[in-house]
Amino acid sequence: MVDATIDFIKSLYPKQDIIPLHAPVFLGNEKKYLGECIDTSYVSYLGNFVNKMEEECKTYTGVNYAVSLINGTSALHIALKVVGVEPNTEVITQALTFVATSNSIFYNGAYPTYIDVDKDNMGLCPEKLQKFLEQRTEFKNGNLINKVTKRKISAVLPVHVFGHPCYIERIVELARSYNLPIVEDAAEGLGSFYKNKHIGTFGDIGVISFNGNKIITTGGGGMILTNYEKIAEKIKHITTTAKVKHDYEYVHDEIGYNFRMANINAAIGLAQFENISEILNNKRNTANLYREFFEFTDIGFISEPDNSTANYWLNAIKLKDKNERDEFIKRLIAEQIMVRPIWRLNNKLKMFNKCYCDDLINSNWIEEKIVNIPSSFRKL
């Protein structure tokens, strides 16, 4: 089956000596808009392309406010900060995620609390979350406390893995019932919808990434989505060094961050947005071909969950076990086909190995079996 898979992937991406996992694609006005940045000298965070990029993202996702930042990790950091995550508190999240999720929690001096995921969408499991909240937490002096660690729980941070929506409605419902703010890690989720609503728009804040390997790119960049004006204003303020508006004085009223997206990056992103429908349709076509190919084999293809429209950012397959997974990866890499296993669970990384975890049964099961396969835009 491995040989057949190698041949099939090569047929999808012909005449390529090396087949990347996910390469950026530039179909339109990227060079033109970059030229305009240079001609006008607006290459930093001042410039029309930043505003236009934010407006485009706001319109596309259906939120009231969108704030652009230098990358998705910084966006997660700031999102958690503005919803009230403080040092020595905990943020409920999942161990099955890219390390930036956990890093963003530590940037705020807080600790991840790792709850298991669902097998079908790889996102935070509402049933496991409910069990944890009911059995391992209690309210003291108005604060929700982890009875094991004795720390306050300050937020919930679910992840939409590979652009597949998690059961976000139920997660938000549970979080609200415990007075917990919700930040959605939708870094991989631009163009994905749950019940016809764009992911990243269900909680208090959602975060999207525009890294070079994402659905569309700004080179490096991220976007914070929110429906709350005060949150958007706070984020804009502290991510531009908390500078108070003045004609000439440099006055800053709190600790700030230099995290705003540059105009030159937004120029690329705006040009990318103009072709997002074509990009998403192309990726869905590739996913359909993979699904058909693997349908009658012993390799499972990860399809979008019920009530969801996934962007199929990275296509994923399921192998029998870790040994089969590793052998599959070695064989394809030897053929210059770039594949990768899903991330190592964050609780197994030395920085986070003392953080609270539940049993993580599904997370460990997924970690041993899932492989990402080439998912770049294809010439049809």
Side-chain angles (χ1 to χ4, degrees), residues 6-20 289 337 374 376-380:
I6 289 170
D7 291 340
F8 181 70
I9 293 175
K10 287 183 176 180
S11 75
L12 294 179
Y13 298 96
K15 300 179 181 179
Q16 295 190 38
D17 293 334
I18 300 176
I19 300 175
L289 292 173
I337 299 172
S376 301
F377 185 94
R378 295 169 46 243
K379 295 181 180 179
L380 302 179

Side-chain angles (χ1 to χ4, degrees), residues 90 112-115 132 136 146 148-149 354-358:
E90 296 181 5
T113 290
Y114 295 122
I115 304 301
F132 168 75
R136 295 289 185 267
N146 183 331
V148 177
T149 65
K354 290 183 173 58
C355 296
Y356 178 91
C357 305
D358 72 2

Side-chain angles (χ1 to χ4, degrees), residues 200-219:
T201 67
F202 290 81
D204 298 285
I205 299 178
V207 169
I208 289 173
S209 172
F210 300 115
N211 191 30
N213 66 345
K214 294 301 189 290
I215 288 286
I216 66 173
T217 185
T218 57

